[in-house]
Amino acid sequence: MQGRDFLSIADLSASEIDHVLTTAMGLKDARPQPLLAGKTLALVFEKPSLRTRVSFHVAIKHLGGDCIYLSPPEVGLGERETPADVARVLSRYVDCIAARTFKTETVEELARWADVPVINALSDGEHPCQALADLLTVREKKGRLAGASLAFIGDGNNVANSLALAAGITGMHLRVASPSGYELSDDVLRRAQALAASSGGSVRQLHEPEEAVAGADVVYTDVWASMGNEREATVRREDFAGYTVDPGMMAYASPNAIFMHDLPAHRGEEVTDEVMDGPQSAVFDQAENRLHAQKALLTLLLGSEE
Ligand code: CP
């Protein structure tokens, strides 16, 4: 994986994902090691972040490297300077770029022009770093990926896209339940199902949340209005009525099911306090796993695995 970009979870094969997760579990249990001493990571963000920004910063610091955060007005991607020029300049200073962009095309353009690995730290199309932490969490909590059953309740957004592709690659069974008009895109569903056909997994798009949750090992949800869709929040609250993950919804899942959410959560909308703070909730372990998964990703992309 040395020197590669990470723009989509589908950039990794099943064995590479397994390698990232195994490396993450090893790093999680180990004392901080200076595997990336002398390396610098640039975070170029067009959108707000808590988990992604802090976990990347702490990850590279724990590994002996350095981090620089560039906020939206400082860089002005596509306004003050083209992504191509930003990529070429940053490549002269840093060893890796993690970019959070509105458009997937922007992070792809950065990757096209950068001489250093570019990581998609969330775009409108995907959130592959979140998917790595999600897979790590499922593997830790359920002891396996292949054969595990997940229900994703809500918007077919970037998090759902990466989860669907991840399920297809790793052989999980994913049922997504979304209101009409908010389903996974045909392209993502088709690609995820093609991957699942090879791995023994399955990916289905449904509309009834209870049907998706029935017997699931994992129940996962996300905000109804993602970053960039905030102006649709009122109409989405109406469209997503009945999609709240509450104790009644969790009762349809396996008795040992866990609840996951990539956060931030809008408590009282897509999830209730009882579920977020209840005994089945894995959300803070999941958030912690962003750190461990990204440590593994950085060591493998920057070639300091040993
Ligand atoms: N889950 C996630 O990406 O959180 P942030 O938007 O806070 O980084």
Side-chain angles (χ1 to χ4, degrees):
M1 290 173 59
Q2 184 179 6
R4 279 167 49 184
D5 300 315
F6 181 57
L7 305 182
S8 164
I9 190 69
D11 289 344
L12 302 183
S13 65
S15 63
E16 287 170 337
I17 287 176
D18 183 65
H19 188 36
V20 174
L21 302 186
T22 302
T23 303
M25 291 171 99
L27 289 167
K28 185 170 182 170
D29 293 336
R31 295 161 65 92
Q33 301 170 63
L35 297 171
L36 297 182
K39 305 282 188 187
T40 301
L41 169 69
L43 300 176
V44 181
F45 279 31
E46 290 188 319
K47 300 182 182 186
S49 171
L50 173 67
R51 280 144 291 272
T52 308
R53 177 179 173 179
V54 176
S55 57
F56 264 118
H57 188 118
V58 173
I60 194 145
K61 297 294 274 190
H62 278 185
L63 293 165
D66 218 335
C67 188
I68 180 162
Y69 172 76
L70 297 158
S71 65
E74 284 173 302
V75 179
L77 268 179
E79 291 173 8
R80 185 169 183 268
E81 200 161 6
T82 66
D85 287 352
V86 169
R88 284 183 287 188
V89 170
L90 283 177
S91 297
R92 303 293 179 103
Y93 302 142
V94 304
D95 302 283
C96 186
I97 299 167
R100 170 166 287 201
T101 60
F102 283 99
K103 294 180 182 164
T104 298
E105 292 77 14
T106 307
V107 69
E108 288 174 345
E109 183 75 351
L110 287 169
R112 191 170 302 121
W113 288 96
D115 297 324
V116 297
V118 172
I119 296 170
N120 179 352
L122 180 146
S123 66
D124 58 2
E126 273 205 57
H127 198 354
C129 297
Q130 182 65 53
L132 286 179
D134 297 343
L135 294 172
L136 181 59
T137 306
V138 174
R139 190 157 114 171
E140 284 180 339
K141 302 285 183 190
K142 293 292 155 193
R144 62 180 177 152
L145 292 178
S149 59
L150 282 71
F152 183 94
I153 307 303
D155 189 19
N157 61 12
N158 45 10
V159 170
N161 287 344
S162 289
L163 198 62
L165 294 168
I169 295 164
T170 61
M172 296 193 295
H173 300 291
L174 175 67
R175 294 187 294 260
V176 179
S178 317
S180 197
Y182 297 98
E183 300 94 341
L184 295 170
S185 70
D186 289 343
D187 173 59
V188 167
L189 186 59
R190 187 178 40 75
R191 288 170 55 213
Q193 289 177 334
L195 289 162
S198 300
S199 67
S202 60
V203 179
R204 293 173 62 203
Q205 175 70 62
L206 307 170
H207 293 102
E208 296 302 325
E210 291 80 6
E211 187 184 353
V213 170
D217 298 315
V218 177
V219 180
Y220 196 136
T221 191
D222 192 9
V223 291
W224 293 336
S226 301
M227 285 180 282
N229 300 129
E230 291 88 349
R231 275 179 293 182
E232 299 173 22
T234 304
V235 79
R236 282 178 178 243
R237 269 193 286 276
E238 290 173 13
D239 291 346
F240 282 84
Y243 286 76
T244 301
V245 179
D246 58 14
M249 180 92 74
M250 287 298 293
Y252 285 90
S254 160
N256 299 320
I258 58 168
F259 171 73
M260 293 176 61
H261 192 307
D262 53 295
L263 305 178
H266 290 176
R267 289 166 177 259
E269 293 190 6
E270 76 275 5
V271 61
T272 62
D273 286 339
E274 295 98 307
V275 173
M276 271 284 285
D277 300 327
Q280 291 170 287
S281 177
V283 297
F284 298 109
D285 291 335
Q286 181 186 1
E288 180 189 326
N289 277 338
R290 294 294 306 274
L291 172 65
H292 308 299
Q294 286 157 204
K295 272 188 185 177
L297 180 69
L298 289 169
T299 61
L300 296 172
L301 296 185
L302 299 184
S304 299
E305 190 179 342
E306 296 79 20

